[in-house]
Amino acid sequence: MKTRNNIMVIDTETVGTFGQPLVHDLGYVIIDKDFNVLKKDRFLTKELHGIGHWILKTSDFYKEYDKDYKHARETEKVLKWADISKAVADAIKEYKVSTISAYNLQFDYKAIHYTDELFNGKHLSKVLDHKTKNLLCIYNLACETVLNTDEYRNFCSENGYISESGNFRTGAEFAYRYIVKDTEYIEKHTALADAEDETVILKHIVNTVKGKPNYGLYYNCWKKAQG
């Protein structure tokens, strides 16, 4: 499978509601067509981390993961969202990124646009335009290819990766476990680490699947892998 020029694999960790997600942690990896890493970076949103915003404190994230972020707030870049938005947009321009990619891209797309609007960013939203950039959803790509196989479905059955509704699980953590053959792997749920995992998934698909990827935003991708 061939992709187009340089790619940014981006991940957002959010708080708030599903309909109005706010990005508190953003990470990305920029790669060329041969998967050489050109740049990677990570930012924490100051409006949320800097003042202990009530949305952050009352979220499930705060209860489960805040202990992992205490060190991050001392070592990573904690910037106002407008500065994060501009920094990422500038990196896209500097490294001539033509494709924006993420696992479940439609959610990250929504989160970035909502956070841009609420915290007066706008820089990144202007860049994430399907008219000027290729939008590549790794989740859709995975569910159309490597997860839509009897081998993957048997892998899920053997390891109990079945949802309460009886569906085969297709999240990034399960796709990563399948690809690297590590059933004990646990996602870190931090933006840069997850973006790096998603880059591994994308590389595997590109290197093993023939044809051209479908670009765009996709919903309910999991259905394509149910057989």
Side-chain angles (χ1 to χ4, degrees):
M1 182 175 288
K2 293 183 178 180
T3 54
R4 301 173 184 172
N5 304 319
N6 293 344
I7 301 171
M8 174 181 281
V9 180
I10 197 167
D11 183 77
T12 63
E13 298 298 318
T14 67
V15 292
T17 65
F18 181 81
Q20 296 179 319
L22 285 169
V23 181
H24 72 84
D25 181 5
L26 183 149
Y28 69 79
V29 179
I30 297 176
I31 53 176
D32 65 17
K33 61 184 179 62
D34 297 315
F35 283 84
N36 297 306
V37 176
L38 306 178
K39 182 179 176 64
K40 56 184 178 179
D41 214 339
R42 180 190 180 191
F43 306 92
L44 302 181
T45 306
K46 188 172 184 179
E47 286 90 338
L48 296 170
H49 283 274
I51 58 175
H53 198 288
W54 67 271
I55 292 178
L56 194 68
K57 287 189 173 183
T58 57
S59 70
D60 291 337
F61 151 78
Y62 186 86
K63 298 172 185 176
E64 292 187 37
Y65 299 108
D66 188 60
K67 63 181 183 298
D68 298 325
Y69 277 89
K70 288 180 180 178
H71 178 67
R73 283 190 283 266
E74 296 174 354
T75 59
E76 301 292 343
K77 299 172 185 175
V78 183
L79 302 177
K80 289 184 177 179
W81 175 258
D83 295 327
I84 296 172
S85 182
K86 185 177 186 304
V88 179
D90 287 347
I92 290 171
K93 182 178 180 180
E94 179 183 355
Y95 288 89
K96 296 180 173 57
V97 171
S98 65
T99 299
I100 308 296
S101 186
Y103 208 89
N104 201 12
L105 178 60
Q106 62 85 15
F107 179 78
D108 297 283
Y109 187 89
K110 175 172 64 176
I112 288 169
H113 277 72
Y114 182 70
T115 310
D116 253 2
E117 179 179 351
L118 192 66
F119 291 149
N120 300 313
K122 307 298 183 181
H123 303 285
L124 190 49
S125 291
K126 290 179 181 178
V127 175
L128 297 185
D129 186 339
H130 70 278
K131 296 178 182 179
T132 58
K133 300 296 178 188
N134 303 309
L135 302 181
L136 180 60
C137 179
I138 302 172
Y139 190 22
N140 180 68
L141 190 60
C143 287
E144 287 185 338
T145 58
V146 296
L147 305 189
N148 187 21
T149 62
D150 289 337
E151 182 181 351
Y152 178 72
R153 288 184 279 270
N154 289 337
F155 173 79
C156 288
S157 297
E158 290 168 2
N159 291 284
Y161 300 155
I162 309 294
S163 72
E164 293 181 359
S165 302
N167 298 309
F168 298 109
R169 294 191 180 275
T170 55
E173 182 174 275
F174 300 100
Y176 187 90
R177 289 180 181 183
Y178 174 68
I179 286 167
V180 303
K181 309 304 180 189
D182 181 1
T183 58
E184 302 299 319
Y185 183 76
I186 303 294
E187 273 186 311
K188 293 182 175 62
H189 292 289
T190 57
L192 180 56
D194 287 1
E196 290 173 327
D197 289 353
E198 293 163 19
T199 302
V200 171
I201 297 170
L202 178 60
K203 181 178 181 179
H204 174 82
I205 295 171
V206 169
N207 287 342
T208 60
V209 177
K210 295 181 179 180
K212 295 181 179 180
N214 293 319
Y215 293 93
L217 299 177
Y218 291 86
Y219 300 81
N220 297 318
C221 303
W222 61 272
K223 292 182 179 180
K224 299 179 180 182
Q226 300 308 310

